Amino acid sequence: MAASRLPPAALTLKQFLRRQQVLQLYRRILQAIRQVPTETDRQYLKEWAREEFKRNKDATDEDAIRMMITQGNMQLRELERILQLANS
């Protein structure tokens, strides 16, 4: 049997795509946070987002990861909605 050329820690395609989703969500959250008008609120939200993602970085259960992505997208939409209301 031929040895695999992939390193032992290589991600499967499914894991790679899920990782890309998580990174995209994180970037979108940080972009939304930049629109928060007060510096203290921006700092608080940035720290909150960083801690949430850091706390869950070792999650491996596919269903749990999908659920966290869904929750993150809902929270992002809520933040964007609040910012839109605040700017109008």
Side-chain angles (χ1 to χ4, degrees):
M1 192 160 149
S4 174
R5 291 181 154 184
L6 296 175
L11 299 176
T12 65
L13 177 60
K14 193 176 201 179
Q15 291 169 328
F16 176 80
L17 293 174
R18 192 69 67 204
R19 182 176 185 271
Q20 294 307 311
Q21 281 183 308
V22 170
L23 292 173
Q24 181 183 30
L25 175 61
Y26 185 67
R27 287 185 202 108
R28 288 176 53 212
I29 289 172
L30 291 180
Q31 287 173 349
I33 289 172
R34 284 188 210 116
Q35 297 173 15
V36 172
T38 60
E39 178 64 29
T40 55
D41 290 341
R42 268 195 309 274
Q43 285 299 98
Y44 172 78
L45 288 171
K46 195 187 304 185
E47 188 61 32
W48 168 79
R50 185 179 295 129
E51 287 301 316
E52 283 296 309
F53 278 82
K54 193 182 291 188
R55 185 168 55 90
N56 294 304
K57 75 175 186 170
D58 294 323
T60 56
D61 180 34
E62 188 67 28
D63 292 332
I65 294 170
R66 272 199 323 268
M67 183 188 70
M68 287 184 274
I69 291 171
T70 301
Q71 287 177 339
N73 280 316
M74 289 181 350
Q75 291 173 336
L76 173 60
R77 282 194 299 273
E78 182 68 16
L79 176 60
E80 290 171 338
R81 188 181 67 77
I82 291 170
L83 289 169
Q84 188 177 29
L85 288 173
N87 291 333
S88 55

